[in-house]
Amino acid sequence: MLFNRAMSHGARDVPTAESPAGDSLGSLLTGLDEADRETLELRLERWSDDLLAALRVLYPEQDVSAIAQRLVGRAVSAYSERPPELRRLDQRRLLRPDWLQQPGMFGYACYTERFGEDLKGLGGRLDHLRDLGVTYLHLMPLLLPRDGDNDGGYAVQDYRTVRPDLGDVDDLRDLATTLRADGISLVLDLVLNHVAREHEWARRARAGESHYRDYFHVYPDRVMPDAYERTLPEVFPDFAPGNFTWDDELDGWVWTTFNEWQWDVNWANPDVLVEYADIVLYLANLGVEVLRLDAIAFTWKRLGTNCQNQPEVHAVTQALRTVARIACPALAFKAEAIVGPRDLVQYLGQGEHAGRVSDIAYHNSLMVQVWSMLATGSTGLTKQALTALPPTPPSGTWICYVRCHDDIGWAIDDADAAAAGLDGYAHRRFLSDWYAGDQPGSWAHGLVFQHNPATGDKRISGTAAALTGLSDAERRGDAGGVGQGLARLFLAHAVVAGWGGIPVVWSGDELGMPNDPHWADEPGHEDDNRWAHRERIDWALASHRGDLATTAGKVFQGLRHLATVRRSLPQLHASAQTRVVLETSDGVLAVVRTHPSGSMVCVYNVTGHWQTVPVRLFADAGIVHPHDALGGHPVFGDAAGQASLSPYAAWWVVEAPVEVSRA
Ligand code: GLC
């Protein structure tokens, strides 16, 4: 037995120096010096049960000990090769396991070439990020993709090679090191639902190697594809209808959820797990601190379902994370699961997976609600939707964002809509039309992405400035409109920055950049208007980031202010409990955060009109001298006990600092 003692009996039966952790495991640790051996013994003692449990879920018919042995073997080698500086980081993270939950965390996401031309160039532009207060940098896919259209790099041909136009692996390692010295964690994508048709595994499958054919879901005829299609949605109905692609060389139908050149891998094959574990370890040893598990929801297929959010998906994450915890515990996982509100929290670990899957996940539901509140000036649906979410596991952290590089899909649950007196379908339709600028009164200038007439699904592309009306007002020279657009943009960012997870600003939004009017000009981009909001940083504009007389400067300083104030508020630790107050008026969202250091009440006016909020709300939360930390002013009520909120006001109300409350 591989993990006979350490793995199956828990703390009461811990391994000893004489009998490390079973015979086979002992042999895996051979050659390590005593200190390393002890470190790994302790980590195995902690994580082996979790690994075996995940493997049993994934491969119930197979010898999971043998699979575990392969995985641990890889982890041991990666640990041996881990550079001293990263081992030190491991220790640091183990000493502060809540590092991602700290209020000082502030994220930014960009394409390397659109921000700094290449990796070296990006390294030369870090002052922009430092100024903003960034501690977490997500660089969009930069591992070698297929030639031609590659879905923005999400069709990877080689996970161990950097795109040559951006640099090489040494440049990536150097950048990670520079960032780390600046207190910025590097985040990269791990595309694990599919590989490019040109990836070695797919190439060898096409060449007839059955070992690699088994890495994919391949069917000789339409029987199984048709059976699956009965319940499968389409992700890209416009440019990639259907979920299977005929391949002549393969002489079969291969599963392609996304584009026809993105081949879904078969996670039911343990060889695939071992391959990806190796890739995880490789990237971690370059200095990557967070891996974004791309399209994780799609990784497990089950007939008769939509093949998303299957329970095994969480076991896949648990297995990979366990391997990482053994070799490189500084590495964190982020689930990219852009799914309905009812399926979301599971990605932060629920039930048997609590504390064992991703450390962070996208709060897609909050993002959608921000736009819904702004369009309607109403918080009814938002109160319902956010209250209906199961509690966030205390160790889990949300990525809070107003938009990302993808389109916005209106993930609104029909039951939530009904409870708020709305029809889900009609409301989703309304939001699409509003943000496409097709509704009377709309300020927004988004673009419709992937309209699916069969389902009525109509997603939206656009930068934050385009969706809040800022960029269009600026273009028209409409000062009033610019003011309103700025107010909406701050409000949207304040809501997400005040939620308590890691706020992530999408590149260009910190300068209020408009949609890129030339998005369709680049080869391969013409059918994909998501490129409209993946704009290149305009460095001439960025040079005004400190100038409050410019719109770009106002936006930048506004977001920087959010980062600065966040850092000072322990209540924004991600573990604090969040409760949406149901009793406020329809135009006001109030969120109470409870933390041992004191409470915080975030108050947002989501309308373009004055609103009031009862000051009793603050007293009820235990705040004696309410003080808006964002505006730096005390909060007073009128004779009727109401405080007045200006249009689109955002307040983060805490107990006044002592010197202020005494004054
Ligand atoms: C994720 C990415 C998206 C990509 C898809 C397929 O959802 O965010 O851009 O198209 O995965 O990899």
Side-chain angles (χ1 to χ4, degrees), residues 77-130:
S77 312
Y79 173 79
S80 309
E81 290 156 15
R82 191 147 170 88
E85 195 192 325
L86 293 177
R87 286 190 179 198
R88 196 177 158 81
L89 184 70
D90 290 334
Q91 292 297 97
R92 198 175 283 140
R93 298 301 190 222
L94 288 170
L95 289 167
R96 197 190 287 276
D98 62 343
W99 66 282
L100 288 162
Q101 302 195 297
Q102 299 290 329
M105 291 300 291
F106 200 80
Y108 188 84
C110 63
Y111 286 93
T112 305
E113 71 280 14
R114 290 170 175 258
F115 184 86
E117 299 301 330
D118 57 17
L119 290 166
K120 283 204 175 77
L122 188 140
R125 296 274 193 199
L126 294 184
D127 52 341
H128 186 81
L129 301 180
R130 275 186 222 113

Side-chain angles (χ1 to χ4, degrees), residues 426-477:
H427 188 60
R428 290 189 289 271
R429 201 46 193 253
F430 164 79
L431 291 173
S432 299
D433 292 345
W434 182 271
Y435 284 104
D438 293 339
Q439 279 281 341
S442 167
W443 59 72
H445 290 267
L447 304 168
V448 172
F449 180 75
Q450 305 284 327
H451 180 200
N452 187 341
T455 60
D457 194 22
K458 218 177 178 189
R459 283 128 69 186
I460 291 290
S461 294
T463 65
L467 298 183
T468 52
L470 173 61
S471 49
D472 193 59
E474 178 93 344
R475 187 185 53 76
R476 286 185 282 111

Side-chain angles (χ1 to χ4, degrees), residues 151 154 194 236 258 262 292 294-295 336 405-406 530:
D151 190 21
Y154 285 103
H194 43 262
F236 295 140
F258 293 87
Q262 286 166 303
R292 172 186 179 276
D294 179 65
E336 193 254 343
H405 70 289
D406 281 329
R530 292 176 299 174

Side-chain angles (χ1 to χ4, degrees), residues 448-522:
V448 172
F449 180 75
Q450 305 284 327
H451 180 200
N452 187 341
T455 60
D457 194 22
K458 218 177 178 189
R459 283 128 69 186
I460 291 290
S461 294
T463 65
L467 298 183
T468 52
L470 173 61
S471 49
D472 193 59
E474 178 93 344
R475 187 185 53 76
R476 286 185 282 111
D478 165 7
V482 168
Q484 295 255 305
L486 280 170
R488 289 183 205 113
L489 191 133
F490 289 136
L491 177 66
H493 281 93
V495 173
V496 299
W499 195 259
I502 305 176
V504 177
V505 173
W506 225 88
S507 186
D509 283 354
E510 80 280 19
L511 298 169
M513 285 183 63
N515 286 341
D516 178 356
H518 306 295
W519 63 267
D521 295 352
E522 283 179 55

Side-chain angles (χ1 to χ4, degrees), residues 43-51 321-322 325-326 355:
R43 290 186 191 168
L44 285 169
E45 181 190 319
R46 167 64 185 86
W47 293 110
S48 326
D49 283 344
D50 287 354
L51 178 58
R321 183 174 185 270
T322 303
R325 290 281 135 171
I326 294 166

